Amino acid sequence: MGGADAVFVDACDSPANTTAMAQMIVSTCQDIGLDGVDLDWEGARYDGACAATLLQALRREWPDGIITTAVGPAYGPAEADQMNALGAAGDAVDAVMLMS
């Protein structure tokens, strides 16, 4: 999933919203026969801490799923701070894809 800033931001409004978003993503992926999901959140409202929270919720909801995320290069301090915040996802992801 990518490019849906408002949807991702709303998912971080509360723990219940984060869990509901993770459950929706997992059930949709499983319903169509996928074995994992790539969280590719881009846009002006990107929030690394929120992304990490959502990735952790995805892992709780789908322990055996393949979960990846995409990150862009850090061009300055603001981008670096966002990427550092994403580091909290740690063990929740199987791979981090670097966009260039």
Side-chain angles (χ1 to χ4, degrees), residues 1-6 8 38-47 70-72 99:
M1 297 187 71
D5 272 357
F8 289 130
D38 176 57
L39 180 67
D40 182 1
W41 177 359
E42 300 174 30
R45 296 177 66 188
Y46 175 78
D47 181 330
V71 296
M99 296 185 291

Side-chain angles (χ1 to χ4, degrees), residues 10-19:
D10 289 347
C12 292
D13 280 350
S14 70
N17 284 356
T18 305
T19 299

Side-chain angles (χ1 to χ4, degrees), residues 1 9-12 14 25 28 31 48 50 53 55-56 62 64 66 68 70-72 74 79 82 85 89:
M1 297 187 71
V9 170
D10 289 347
C12 292
S14 70
I25 292 170
T28 300
D31 286 350
C50 178
T53 299
L55 288 162
Q56 292 164 338
W62 203 357
D64 298 328
I66 298 168
T68 64
V71 296
E79 292 88 358
Q82 291 295 340

Side-chain angles (χ1 to χ4, degrees), residues 48-98:
C50 178
T53 299
L54 183 54
L55 288 162
Q56 292 164 338
L58 283 167
R59 177 55 66 204
R60 282 191 304 276
E61 296 298 323
W62 203 357
D64 298 328
I66 298 168
I67 299 172
T68 64
T69 192
V71 296
Y75 297 110
E79 292 88 358
D81 288 346
Q82 291 295 340
M83 293 307 107
N84 287 335
L86 183 60
D91 295 333
V93 297
D94 296 296
V96 175
M97 310 301 182
L98 178 62

